[in-house]
Coordinates of all heavy atoms in Angstrom, one line a residue:
S1 N -4.4 -6.0 5.5 CA -4.3 -6.0 7.0 C -2.9 -5.6 7.3 O -1.9 -6.2 7.0 CB -4.5 -7.5 7.5 OG -4.2 -7.7 8.8
T2 N -2.8 -4.5 8.1 CA -1.5 -3.9 8.4 C -1.5 -3.4 9.9 O -2.6 -3.1 10.4 CB -1.1 -2.7 7.5 OG1 -2.2 -1.7 7.7 CG2 -1.1 -3.0 6.1
E3 N -0.3 -3.3 10.4 CA -0.2 -2.8 11.8 C -0.2 -1.3 11.7 O 0.0 -0.7 10.7 CB 1.2 -3.3 12.4 CG 1.3 -4.8 12.6 CD 2.6 -5.2 13.1 OE1 3.5 -4.3 13.4 OE2 2.8 -6.3 13.3
P4 N -0.6 -0.7 12.9 CA -0.7 0.8 13.0 C 0.6 1.5 12.5 O 0.6 2.6 12.0 CB -1.1 1.1 14.4 CG -1.7 -0.2 14.8 CD -1.1 -1.2 14.2
D5 N 1.7 0.8 12.9 CA 3.1 1.4 12.5 C 3.7 0.7 11.4 O 5.0 0.7 11.3 CB 4.0 1.3 13.7 CG 4.2 -0.1 14.3 OD1 3.5 -1.0 13.8 OD2 5.1 -0.3 15.0
A6 N 2.9 0.3 10.4 CA 3.5 -0.4 9.2 C 4.4 0.5 8.5 O 4.3 1.7 8.5 CB 2.3 -0.7 8.3
L7 N 5.4 -0.1 7.8 CA 6.4 0.7 7.1 C 5.9 1.4 5.9 O 6.4 2.4 5.5 CB 7.6 -0.2 6.7 CG 8.4 -0.9 7.7 CD1 9.4 -1.9 7.2 CD2 9.1 0.2 8.6
R8 N 4.8 0.9 5.3 CA 4.3 1.6 4.1 C 2.9 1.2 3.8 O 2.4 0.1 4.3 CB 5.2 1.1 2.8 CG 5.1 -0.4 2.6 CD 6.1 -0.8 1.5 NE 7.4 -0.6 1.9 CZ 8.2 -1.5 2.5 NH1 7.7 -2.7 2.9 NH2 9.5 -1.2 2.8
P9 N 2.1 1.9 3.1 CA 0.7 1.5 2.8 C 0.8 0.3 1.7 O 1.7 0.2 1.0 CB 0.1 2.7 2.1 CG 1.3 3.5 1.6 CD 2.4 3.2 2.5
L10 N -0.3 -0.5 1.8 CA -0.4 -1.6 0.9 C -1.4 -1.4 -0.2 O -1.5 -2.3 -1.1 CB -0.7 -2.9 1.7 CG 0.3 -3.3 2.8 CD1 -0.2 -4.5 3.5 CD2 1.7 -3.4 2.3
L11 N -2.1 -0.3 -0.2 CA -3.1 0.0 -1.2 C -2.9 1.4 -1.8 O -2.4 2.2 -1.0 CB -4.5 -0.1 -0.6 CG -4.9 -1.5 0.1 CD1 -6.3 -1.3 0.7 CD2 -4.9 -2.6 -1.0
A12 N -3.2 1.5 -3.0 CA -3.1 2.9 -3.7 C -4.1 3.0 -4.8 O -4.6 2.0 -5.3 CB -1.8 3.2 -4.3
R13 N -4.6 4.2 -5.1 CA -5.5 4.5 -6.1 C -5.1 5.7 -6.9 O -4.6 6.7 -6.3 CB -6.9 4.7 -5.6 CG -8.1 4.8 -6.6 CD -9.4 4.6 -6.0 NE -10.3 4.2 -7.0 CZ -11.5 3.6 -6.7 NH1 -11.8 3.3 -5.5 NH2 -12.3 3.3 -7.8
R14 N -5.3 5.7 -8.2 CA -5.0 6.8 -9.0 C -6.0 6.8 -10.2 O -5.8 6.1 -11.2 CB -3.5 6.7 -9.6 CG -3.1 8.0 -10.4 CD -1.7 7.7 -11.0 NE -1.1 8.8 -11.7 CZ -0.4 9.8 -11.2 NH1 0.0 9.7 -9.9 NH2 0.0 10.8 -12.0
G15 N -7.0 7.5 -10.0 CA -8.1 7.5 -11.0 C -8.7 6.0 -11.2 O -9.1 5.5 -10.2
A16 N -8.7 5.5 -12.4 CA -9.2 4.2 -12.6 C -8.2 3.1 -12.3 O -8.5 1.9 -12.5 CB -9.7 4.1 -14.0
L17 N -7.0 3.5 -11.8 CA -5.9 2.5 -11.5 C -6.0 2.2 -10.0 O -6.0 3.2 -9.2 CB -4.6 3.0 -11.9 CG -4.3 3.3 -13.4 CD1 -2.9 3.9 -13.6 CD2 -4.5 2.0 -14.2
L18 N -6.0 1.0 -9.7 CA -5.9 0.5 -8.3 C -4.7 -0.5 -8.1 O -4.4 -1.2 -9.0 CB -7.1 -0.2 -7.8 CG -8.4 0.7 -7.6 CD1 -9.0 1.1 -8.8 CD2 -9.4 -0.2 -6.7
A19 N -4.0 -0.3 -7.0 CA -2.9 -1.3 -6.7 C -3.0 -1.8 -5.3 O -3.4 -1.0 -4.4 CB -1.6 -0.4 -6.9
A20 N -2.6 -3.1 -5.2 CA -2.6 -3.7 -3.9 C -1.3 -4.5 -3.9 O -1.0 -5.3 -4.8 CB -3.8 -4.6 -3.7
G21 N -0.6 -4.4 -2.7 CA 0.7 -5.2 -2.6 C 1.7 -4.5 -1.7 O 1.5 -3.4 -1.3
D22 N 2.8 -5.2 -1.6 CA 4.0 -4.7 -0.8 C 5.1 -4.5 -1.7 O 5.6 -5.3 -2.3 CB 4.3 -5.9 0.3 CG 5.3 -5.3 1.4 OD1 5.5 -4.1 1.3 OD2 5.6 -6.0 2.3
V23 N 5.5 -3.2 -1.7 CA 6.5 -2.7 -2.7 C 7.6 -1.9 -1.9 O 7.3 -0.9 -1.3 CB 5.9 -1.8 -3.7 CG1 7.0 -1.4 -4.8 CG2 4.8 -2.5 -4.5
R24 N 8.9 -2.4 -2.1 CA 10.0 -1.6 -1.6 C 11.0 -1.5 -2.7 O 11.5 -2.5 -3.2 CB 10.7 -2.3 -0.4 CG 11.8 -1.5 0.2 CD 12.8 -2.3 1.0 NE 13.5 -3.2 0.1 CZ 14.5 -3.0 -0.7 NH1 14.9 -1.7 -0.8 NH2 15.0 -4.0 -1.4

């Protein structure tokens, strides 16, 4: 759940790898 102007995406995918979280 993110705002339209969020600083960064919270989800990512790379082939069979999935990531969820807040990373700076």
